Amino acid sequence: MNEPDSVAVVGGGIVGSAAAYRLAREGVETTLFDRRDEGRATDAGAGIVAPATSSRTDSEPWFAFAVEAAAHYPDLVASLEADGVTDHGYGSCDLLSVAVDEDEVEPFETARRRTERRAEEYGTPAPDSFEEIPIEDARDLFPPLSDAERAMVYRDQARVDGRTFAAALREAGETHGLSVEAANVTDVRTDDAPAESDPAVTGVVADGEFREFDAVIVAGGAWSGAFADALGLEIPVEPQRGQIVHLDVDARGGHGTAAEVGADTADWPIVSPFRHKYLVPWPDGRVAVGATREDDTGFAPRATLAGLHDVYGEALRVAAGLADAEPVETRVGLRPVSRDGLPIIGPVPDVEGAYLATGHGPTGLTLGPYSGTVVADLARGVEPGTDPSAFDPARFR
């Protein structure tokens, strides 16, 4: 396909915003349709960028892509800053992988061996960037930490506020001519192609009005499946609810007062235990704790008593020193989870000019900006800097 003159990007989360930014920066006339759905995963996620410690690292294609995605962040941040956008919510930090109770020791060992193998085979994480440390040293890094069995520290990882980063991408894109519209796209239109040709995108219907475009990127997160009929392809993405709480710790925690602890949350590492939860500190005295993984909830981005009980209980199990922290916010997001657990990135088969970028599940903030960049390059007819064939939408034909 030749480079399109105009592209519609449907979905203003971190994936769609990254795609729109890339296109606009490359001089393509781009409109980002951002419906601002309540419960969008980007707006709720805590934002851990640490592929080596993810529970998804058993997938080789996923891991290779995630490593590239994490490495893409600093370049993208530099680009945003060059465009004058400095409030992007991204920063480097350490990560503690912690076996709090005895039942976590075995998965801790499995993760350690896997990390060592990755370091030896792929050089990532760098062999000198992680090590097992005594619990006392772990508590020096994260003062509220409970008594625990084992701890591993991973240096030079990262955290990102998805809501802030997506907004930064849109703001920077607008400096390159990106148009952002709060409109509801309900259909993708194609032409009446001859029998020997594939139909081609002619535009989208936004707020009931047909808008002409040469290509469209559907990056609608958990809502992407709504375009299956229009594109003639199954898009097996379902919402998975995640509940996250934000605590104001005011640098309190650990085994003493704030003065005795002598720590600031800006310097605290992410804490990752082995029961699908995490604690992500932020510089303003805030720690995000999450997240539930609730299937079969439909599009219901609301907190529940059971979900909050689960999150608060895990917070106290892992970091007993947070008992006096003040809950200040609850966020609920709907992760777009694909049938096979892998992202869906690439051209829609048999429809010229249509592309998908969705299905990132619980790792959307790790993969999202890179996925958006990759799909934008594909839409431009440019070879991307990676091979996304493992995530090809055609696997669902």
Side-chain angles (χ1 to χ4, degrees), residues 43-136:
D43 295 341
I48 302 171
V49 186
T53 64
S54 173
S55 61
R56 294 296 314 283
T57 52
D58 284 337
S59 166
E60 294 294 334
W62 182 93
F63 179 73
F65 191 80
V67 168
E68 293 174 342
H72 177 67
Y73 256 109
D75 293 338
L76 186 53
V77 166
S79 179
L80 292 173
E81 292 179 347
D83 287 332
V85 180
T86 57
D87 182 16
H88 44 66
Y90 174 86
S92 61
C93 62
D94 294 340
L95 183 146
L96 280 176
S97 177
V98 181
V100 179
D101 294 327
E102 289 186 4
D103 68 313
E104 295 169 285
V105 171
E106 183 175 347
F108 177 93
E109 282 288 343
T110 299
R112 181 181 62 80
R113 291 192 297 268
R114 183 175 58 216
T115 300
E116 290 171 348
R117 177 173 61 82
R118 301 280 192 193
E120 182 177 347
E121 293 182 5
Y122 302 104
T124 185
D128 60 352
S129 68
F130 64 95
E131 62 177 331
E132 185 165 359
I133 60 175
I135 298 304
E136 293 77 13

Side-chain angles (χ1 to χ4, degrees), residues 48 53-55 96-108 111 114 146-149 240 243 271-279 289-294 307 309-319 335 362:
I48 302 171
T53 64
S54 173
S55 61
L96 280 176
S97 177
V98 181
V100 179
D101 294 327
E102 289 186 4
D103 68 313
E104 295 169 285
V105 171
E106 183 175 347
F108 177 93
R114 183 175 58 216
S146 301
D147 290 334
E149 300 289 330
Q240 181 192 71
Q243 300 182 48
V271 176
S272 178
F274 287 86
R275 296 182 186 175
H276 299 296
K277 299 291 190 297
Y278 50 75
L279 293 84
V289 185
T292 61
R293 296 189 180 188
E294 304 169 69
H309 177 74
D310 183 20
V311 173
Y312 284 128
E314 183 69 355
L316 291 174
R317 184 184 77 89
V318 175
R335 307 179 186 94

Side-chain angles (χ1 to χ4, degrees), residues 92-94 140-144 159 247-254 258 261-271 279-288 322 325:
S92 61
C93 62
D94 294 340
D140 287 340
L141 296 173
F142 188 83
R159 62 192 169 205
L247 308 175
D248 179 6
V249 303
D250 192 27
R252 292 190 296 268
V261 171
D264 189 316
T265 53
D267 299 321
W268 287 4
I270 297 164
V271 176
L279 293 84
V280 183
W282 296 92
D284 55 0
R286 179 169 50 102
V287 174
L322 292 179

